Each structure stands twice: as structure tokens, then as C-alpha cells.
Amino acid sequence: MTAGVSAHAAALDVEKDQLKLGFIKLTDMAPLAIAVEKGFFEDEGLSVTLEPQANWKVLLDRVISGELDGAHMLAGQPLGATIGFGTKAHIVTAFSMDLNGNGITLSNDVWQKMKANVPKGADGKPVHPIKADALKPVIAQYKADGKPFNMGMVFPVSTHNYELRYWLASGGINPGFYSPTDVSGQIGADALLSVTPPPQMPATLEAGTIYGYSVGEPWNQQAVVKGIGVPVITDTEIWKNNPEKVFGVTDDWAKKNPKTHLAVVKALIRAAQWLDENNNANRAEAVKILAKPEYVGADTKVIANSMTGTFEYEKGDKRDVPDFNVFFRYNANYPFYSDAVWYLTQMRRWGQIAEAKPDSWYDQTARSVYKPDIFLQAAKLLVEEGKSKEADFPWKSDGYKPVDNGFIDGIPYDGHKPNDYLAKQPIGLKGDQKIEGGQVVGG
């Protein structure tokens, strides 16, 4: 490194050098753990304490109160908070932590009933992706028997909620609506979705309280290891290379600590690079780090099941899913406006956004929360310091990905036209529709 570059690198005079960052015990908190363990935060002049949080609501509340400087967040959390769904606060993100990483698991009993409707390949194994069409008659039977079909997801604005809803709806199953007076999300539902904290999912499934769930790792693979459930689909099969978690801070914190924010993003970019470099060569080491009790605290075999490029569906049916966890490639860390808009469309689709909004509103809201300019500033510094490659970042992006055809229902998504996208969904609010008195009304 030249003297000039070293001087430039040292010029980031952080406003705050002691930080406390929150996370939930999931595999995709990995960039935070790696940035600590590999000294990437330290390289930026930061002393970082990572603190596991009880659940997503507590995590968000503590970021808003200032008890935490920032946190590993659900992609929908900064958006939901900023528009005032649930807790109202302006949260921003300049770093998307990963792509993919979730799955949908069903109880053994439900899977056995559903399996009869799933096509088999020449090897006798189920053909993937498994569509929710195969679950529809099972849910109809439960309904006929007077049993509610209960499923778990991690939080109302979680990717897991929207992916589970997307999958169910693509098979003609209504996952229910929210309204300003009923935030259960179960209005008119065929499957009743409710919140279950991720680490409690397997036990709740085993107890029979829920018949299935949508969650991140290692909690799908835990069901396989315990022999209590079968993951039927991964989120990359529902929406290929979907954004998952983000690193979130309050807008006020970002404005007060711009250099500290840049330093954190720089360290996280380096951690993400490390996790994906040389065809995931570092993943085995990452698994050992994540297995530590202060991070995810799950068995190494359970974490490795998905983290090292494979995924086990039915016990013994382990398949190659090289992109199950993506931390850097495919511009995973760039906070695309089009990703934010997709989450907002799902909030509108299911009634969390009660009234119709023009396309311009979606764009403005995305820009108020997602901060690609800060991300690129951090990336530029890393390139100048010789720690990152210029070719690895989308310098000329307008923040919108091209039209995306990677969804299980084949409906193309154009982030510039959110209302057109909503209009194409067979189940869900569109146009001026809203929920009144437990019914969909309007045109």
C-alpha cells in the first residue's frame, strides 16, 4: 500500500469509536460476527460489541432508543418503521447483508398428506420447486374438519412473512389480510399466520401448535435433524436471489455519525467479501465461528447443512443449493431501491399499507430508507485502499434492477411500476381496494 493511500485510509476520523450492535441468532448475522472475528471493525478504528436480542421488536426498539447503535434487521423493518406500520421511526440502511437464506418447513404429518400431490422425478424423489398447489387440498381438508391451519413466521414485516404469503398465494391459498383495526393479518385467511420467534419454531412445530413455518437458518435444518419436519422449499426457489437482512440505523444516528457509519459499512463489505471469496472457501471456518454461543449457538452440523452450499429437504434428500446463502456476489450488499419497492408492494398487497399509493410514493419511500450513495462511498474507499476490486460494485446503477423474472409464479417484477405488478397478482389488494369490515372493498 502506498503512503498516499495509507494516509487516505487513516483520514476516516470516526465520531464514535465504541459501538454496540444488535442481532438475532440466525446464520445471516454472519457479516457482523466475521467483521469482529477477522478484525475488520478494528481496522476501521472501531471497538464493536455484538449483543443478541430476544426478538425483532426488542431489537428495533433498542435501536430507536439509542441503546443499540445499529443492528442486523429484517429488510422490511426500516421500511415498516419509516412508514409507521407498528413502531414509527425513520430507519435507514446503507448495507444489504445477504441474499436468500430462508425456507418453509411443514410438519411430518402435513408433508405426508401433501406429498401425494407432489410430482416425482425419475429417481423417485419430489420434483422441486414444490408448489403450494400441493398443499391446497390438505388445508381444505383441515378446514372441512373444523381445524384452523396455523403457520408461524418471524415478524409481520419480515421477509419470511412475505415469502410464505407469496408461496401460499401462488398456489391459490389466501394467507389473509391486515387492516388498520385488525393487525392479526388473518382476515379472510385459508392459512392462519402468526409470529413465532425463530429459535422457538422447531419446538412449537413439535408441540403441534403450528403445522409449518417460514424461517431463516439454522431453524429449517434443525427440524430435519430432530426428525420433526420437512423443509419443502427455499426462498431462492420462491424469488431467486432475493434480498434478506439489512444493517439498520436511525436516520438521526446516520446524520450525527457519518464517518462512523461509513467505517461500519466498510468493515461489513470486507466481511461479506470474505464469506463468499474463492467459491465459499471460508465457509467451514465461518460455520465454526457462528456455532459459538455468543453468535448463533447451534450445532456446527446444523449450520453447515445450509451454509456450505447444500440443503437437506426430507431426511436424506440433501441437494446442492450453492446460492442458499449469498453474502457478497450478485451485488448482494448494494441497497437497491427496487428491493425496497418490492417489500412495500407486499405491505400494500396484504393491507399493511391500507390505501392505494401512486408509483412515485414507492420510489420516494425507497429513497428515504435505502442509501446506496453511502454504500458506494464506502466501497470507493476500500477500492482506493486496495481491499476491494472496482469491478465488484455497480457504480452506474440507478438503484433499480432490471425486470425480474425469478419468481415462482412467473409474474415479472418491474420496480418502476409497483401498481402494475400488484394488479397482476390473483390474490391481494390492488388499485383502490381496501379492507372494510373484514371484507375487500373497492375496485
Side-chain angles (χ1 to χ4, degrees), residues 12-21 46 63 66 68-70 92 94 247 249-265 374 377:
L12 212 52
D13 186 15
V14 297
E15 301 85 0
K16 190 173 186 185
D17 60 3
Q18 307 242 352
L19 302 178
K20 188 187 283 185
L21 305 178
L46 300 172
V63 170
L68 295 171
D69 292 286
V92 298
F247 176 75
V249 298
T250 64
D251 184 56
D252 187 48
W253 188 95
K255 283 172 176 161
K256 282 181 185 165
N257 304 286
K259 290 174 184 171
T260 309
H261 196 193
L262 265 181
V264 170
V265 174
I374 296 172
Q377 213 178 329

Side-chain angles (χ1 to χ4, degrees), residues 128-164:
H128 282 255
I130 291 172
K131 299 195 171 177
D133 310 51
L135 181 61
K136 192 175 181 182
V138 179
I139 291 179
Q141 188 56 56
Y142 272 77
K143 206 171 188 175
D145 295 342
K147 288 187 203 165
F149 195 86
N150 297 317
M151 298 189 80
M153 49 79 187
V154 310
F155 203 66
V157 294
S158 68
T159 328
H160 320 77
N161 184 24
Y162 302 129
E163 286 166 354
L164 179 54

Side-chain angles (χ1 to χ4, degrees), residues 200-220:
Q200 293 170 30
M201 294 250 181
T204 312
L205 184 76
E206 192 171 17
T209 312
I210 53 176
Y211 299 124
Y213 56 72
S214 174
V215 75
E217 281 309 301
W219 309 113
N220 296 289

